[in-house]
Amino acid sequence: MDMSLALIEPIGSGVLEDLFKKITRDGEKRLMLAILENATEDFQKYALATDKRHLQLFQDAEEWIFDSEDHSLFSFASICEHLQLDPEHMRQGIRRWKAANENHASECAKNAQRRAS
């Protein structure tokens, strides 16, 4: 094959294949990031929910985040690893956030009771 021809034919050099793989990976990463963002948003937004629907969203997110047995492509751990995040570090941060918010909610409830007395 003439080398000058290979330089002008991107198909022959694999440029299109590489581009397709990159676009596919980028799309997968965007989807994974959207899933991760949605779950963490539901976790934080509904952590103190009392109504059934919002409580279920919180519980679903919490279960997905802390499920260490799921090794599927779209598990929390797999998504974190694909996005180059440490899943255990993320879980620790989420646990700390939840504990801090539970403590804050508890303090607010105590203050409200004191004012009502």
Side-chain angles (χ1 to χ4, degrees):
M1 178 175 177
D2 183 2
M3 286 304 287
S4 62
L5 188 58
L7 293 175
I8 61 169
E9 288 188 41
I11 297 171
S13 64
V15 171
L16 290 181
E17 289 175 12
D18 291 345
L19 181 60
F20 177 76
K21 288 177 187 175
K22 181 182 181 333
I23 290 170
T24 301
R25 282 190 305 269
D26 288 348
E28 289 169 354
K29 284 186 176 185
R30 282 194 303 272
L31 175 59
M32 289 178 167
L33 180 59
I35 291 169
L36 183 61
E37 287 176 332
N38 185 270
T40 55
E41 182 179 298
D42 284 353
F43 184 90
Q44 292 178 323
K45 189 173 183 179
Y46 303 120
L48 303 175
T50 55
D51 67 283
K52 189 175 179 177
R53 180 174 168 265
H54 291 142
L55 185 58
Q56 186 63 52
L57 288 169
F58 167 76
Q59 290 170 337
D60 289 347
E62 183 176 43
E63 182 180 314
W64 180 74
I65 290 167
F66 293 105
D67 184 354
S68 59
E69 301 297 317
D70 186 0
H71 301 289
S72 66
L73 179 62
F74 288 100
S75 68
F76 177 81
S78 180
I79 286 177
C80 285
E81 289 168 7
H82 277 85
L83 297 174
Q84 299 178 334
L85 301 169
D86 179 357
E88 284 311 309
H89 182 73
M90 296 286 292
R91 287 178 175 136
Q92 288 172 2
I94 290 168
R95 281 187 195 100
R96 283 191 303 271
W97 181 91
K98 182 181 179 189
N101 279 281
E102 286 173 343
N103 290 339
H104 179 71
S106 177
E107 288 298 317
C108 288
K110 286 178 188 176
N111 290 337
Q113 286 177 350
R114 285 184 203 135
R115 281 186 235 126
S117 301

